Amino acid sequence: MEKFFVTTAIDYVNAPPHIGHALEKIQADVLARLHRQKSEEVFFLTGADEHGTKIFKAAREAGKEPQRFVDEMSEKFKELKQALNLSWDDFLRTTDKNRHWPAVFEIWKRIRNNGDIEKRKYQGLYCVGCEAFKNPKELVDAKCPEHLTEPEQIEEENYFFKLSKYAGEIESRIKSDELKIIPESRKNEILSFINRGVNDISVSRPKEKLAWGIPAPDDESQIIYVWIDALTNYISALGFGSKDAKNFEKFWPADVHFVGKDILRFHAVIWPGMLLSAGLPLPKTIFAHGFITVGGQKMSKSLGNIVSPFELAEKYGADAVRYYLLREVSAYEDGDFTEEKFKERYNGDLANGLGNFCARVLTLAQGDTNIQTYANDTNVNKKIKETTEVVDKKLEEFKFNEALAAIWDLISFGDNYVNITEPWHAVEPGRTRALVNLIYLLENVAQLLMPFLPQTSEKIFGSIVKTDKTLQIKKGGILFPRV
Ligand code: MSP
C-alpha cells in the first residue's frame, strides 16, 4: 500500500487561531483526503508549538501559568478540526514530555555526536516575534520589518549548530529537486538565500533568560531553541527516539510539509541541516503558501482585524469557509479576505452556481425510475474526463484555486446542458437520455468535490441513492441558502 505523510506547521498558541492558520490546515486536508480516496495509507499531522519567549510572554500577560495557558489555548486549535471538518490523524503538542521531548533529545544527541554542536559566546539581536536572531542588515529603522519592534540585544553563552557545514549539500538537494520546493519562485528565493552565505546558528539560550522550553541533554543550564524543538515535531509524532518507532520507519520521510512563506527558510535550510547532521532522510516536498490579508492589510491584534474561522463557519458553514480560502486565495501568492467578497463568492459560486445546478437536476430527475448512472453522450464524457485530468494536474501543483475553477467550469457545462436539452419539454427517449447525462454529471461533480467540500459532496451523493437496477433520486434540502 502506498503511504502518504502530510504535515502542517504547528501553530504558536499565543492567541486563538485565525483564518491564516485555517487556510494551511484546509489545504493540507484536501491533499490528505485526496490520497485517502486513492486508497493510500495517509498520516496527516498537525499540532501546537508551545514553547519559547512569545508564548511565555503571552501567558504572563494573561496572568496564567504557561502550562495552563497552553493547555487552554491548544484546545482552541484542536477545535478547528470539528469546525472546519478537518481530517488530521494526529495533533502533536511540543509540551508533551512523553511523545515529543524524547525525540528532541535524540536528534540533539545525534547532531552533537556528529560534532555539529558547540558552545560559543554570542552577541546578537533577537526578535521575539520571529523567534529568531536578526542580521542588522535585515532591520529597517532598527526594527524588525515583519513585527515593527526593536529586537533585543543579547549577549550570552549558547550552543551553536554548525549549519554552514551543510549549506552545499542542502543547495544541491534543492537544485536537483530531491528536496522539492514549490512554487518555483520560492525555490529560487531559497537558493539565492543560500548563495548569500549560510551561518552557523545559535540553538540554545541560558535557562535564566528563557525557562519555558526543553533543556539540552546533559546541560540543564541551557534551553533548546524553540525552532529546533518545533521542527522535530514532524518526527516525534511518528515515535522517533521512542521505543515504538514503527510509524517513523513507515512514514518518514514526509511527502509534503505545508508551510507559510514566512517560515520557509526554517524548513528549507535549518530542518534539512538538522536531518543531514543526524543522518536522517530529508522530506520530499515543501510547499510554501502565501498569506491571507484582511481588506489588504496584514492581520494583527493591534489592527484589530483578526478574522475568526469559528465565527465564519458558524455563520456560513464549514464548506463555505473551505471554499473561500481554497478558491479566492491563490495558493502561490497572497490573497485577501473581506466579508463582502466572502458573501459574493458564497452567493455567486455556491448558492447560484453549485447549489442551483444541483437543485435543477434533482428537481427534474426526482421520482424518475428510468435513470441509471452513466453518460450516453460523448460530449459529457469528454468534458468530465478533461475536467478530472485538469483537477489532478492542478492538485499536483498545489493550485487549489485552479482545480476548483475547473470543477466550476464543469458545473457551467452542466447548467448549459440543462438549457440546451430542456428536459421539461423533451419527449422520450430524449428526456430520459438528458436526465441520465445530468445525473452522471452531478455525480462526477460531487466526486471531484469530495476532498474540497466533503459535507456538500456527501449531501449530493445522499440524493442519488443506488438500488439494484436503477437510481432513486431524492431532492434534498438547499445546499447553500442565499445570504
Ligand atoms: N510555530 C511556528 C511554526 C513551527 S513549524 C515547525 C509558526 N507558527 S504561527 O502560528 O506563527 O504560524 C503557523 C502557520 O500559519 C505558518 O505556516 C504561517 O505561515 C501560517 N500563517 C500565519 N499567518 C498567516 C496568514 N495571515 N495567512 C496565511 N498563513 C499564515 O510560525
Side-chain angles (χ1 to χ4, degrees), residues 394-454:
K394 295 296 179 190
L395 284 178
E396 262 168 40
E397 300 169 342
F398 301 87
K399 291 181 175 163
F400 303 98
N401 55 337
E402 293 180 20
L404 282 170
I407 300 175
W408 257 255
D409 188 45
L410 181 62
I411 295 171
S412 300
F413 174 93
D415 251 327
N416 212 19
Y417 196 84
V418 181
N419 298 343
I420 292 166
T421 55
E422 297 188 324
W424 54 92
H425 282 326
V427 287
E428 296 298 1
R431 183 179 163 279
T432 300
R433 184 184 149 91
L435 291 178
V436 162
N437 284 299
L438 282 168
I439 287 292
Y440 189 68
L441 268 166
L442 184 60
E443 230 188 9
N444 275 279
V445 166
Q447 179 68 27
L448 287 166
L449 281 177
M450 228 150 77
F452 302 91
L453 310 181

Side-chain angles (χ1 to χ4, degrees), residues 9-12 18 20-21 24 49 227 260 262-263 289 291-292:
I10 51 173
D11 302 323
Y12 287 128
H18 55 58
H21 300 120
E24 185 174 304
D49 193 351
W227 273 98
D262 58 328
I263 59 169
H289 60 78
F291 259 48
I292 182 150

Side-chain angles (χ1 to χ4, degrees), residues 215-429:
D218 309 322
D219 185 355
E220 298 250 321
S221 73
Q222 292 275 327
I223 299 294
I224 296 175
Y225 177 38
V226 64
W227 273 98
I228 299 293
D229 165 352
L231 287 163
T232 306
N233 91 87
Y234 300 128
I235 54 176
S236 68
L238 299 177
F240 173 77
S242 81
K243 278 192 212 97
D244 181 8
K246 275 199 301 290
N247 271 340
F248 178 71
E249 273 138 39
K250 182 164 171 187
F251 287 106
W252 190 256
D255 292 275
V256 190
H257 287 318
F258 274 83
V259 299
K261 62 177 185 180
D262 58 328
I263 59 169
L264 177 61
R265 278 187 200 175
F266 296 93
H267 285 79
V269 184
I270 299 181
W271 180 226
M274 288 166 66
L275 291 166
L276 286 170
S277 173
L280 297 170
L282 303 194
K284 293 181 199 161
T285 302
I286 304 174
F287 171 64
H289 60 78
F291 259 48
I292 182 150
T293 53
V294 172
Q297 280 180 312
K298 190 179 162 169
M299 245 188 299
S300 84
K301 246 203 255 175
S302 50
L303 285 173
N305 63 351
I306 305 276
V307 179
S308 158
F310 298 112
E311 281 169 29
L312 274 182
E314 177 85 14
K315 207 160 152 191
Y316 300 98
D319 276 356
V321 181
R322 293 172 67 103
Y323 181 74
Y324 186 87
L325 294 176
L326 293 164
R327 178 72 180 88
E328 182 72 28
V329 183
S330 141
Y332 282 25
E333 284 146 50
D334 293 349
D336 192 47
F337 172 91
T338 63
E339 190 141 352
E340 215 162 286
K341 277 191 219 161
F342 190 97
K343 279 188 198 157
E344 242 168 66
R345 277 273 177 215
Y346 179 96
N347 282 332
D349 297 3
L350 295 175
N352 296 345
L354 173 61
N356 189 50
F357 173 62
C358 182
R360 273 182 107 183
V361 172
L362 293 177
T363 307
L364 286 167
Q366 180 166 236
D368 200 303
T369 50
N370 294 318
I371 298 173
Q372 293 175 32
T373 170
Y374 63 91
N376 51 24
D377 183 326
T378 42
N379 283 334
V380 169
N381 246 332
K382 203 170 133 230
K383 181 72 186 172
I384 289 169
K385 197 164 160 269
E386 273 168 19
T387 309
T388 308
E389 280 166 10
V390 174
V391 171
D392 280 349
K393 176 149 188 304
K394 295 296 179 190
L395 284 178
E396 262 168 40
E397 300 169 342
F398 301 87
K399 291 181 175 163
F400 303 98
N401 55 337
E402 293 180 20
L404 282 170
I407 300 175
W408 257 255
D409 188 45
L410 181 62
I411 295 171
S412 300
F413 174 93
D415 251 327
N416 212 19
Y417 196 84
V418 181
N419 298 343
I420 292 166
T421 55
E422 297 188 324
W424 54 92
H425 282 326
V427 287
E428 296 298 1

Side-chain angles (χ1 to χ4, degrees), residues 4-8 25-45 86-89 256 258 322 395 398 400 450-451:
F4 186 74
F5 180 36
V6 55
T7 70
T8 69
K25 311 285 171 293
I26 293 169
Q27 291 180 342
D29 188 62
V30 173
L31 230 62
R33 287 177 185 273
L34 183 81
H35 284 265
R36 284 194 203 102
Q37 236 171 286
K38 295 185 192 165
S39 300
E40 291 174 23
E41 191 175 2
V42 171
F43 195 100
F44 172 14
L45 172 68
L86 301 169
S87 64
W88 67 63
D89 298 294
V256 190
F258 274 83
R322 293 172 67 103
L395 284 178
F398 301 87
F400 303 98
M450 228 150 77

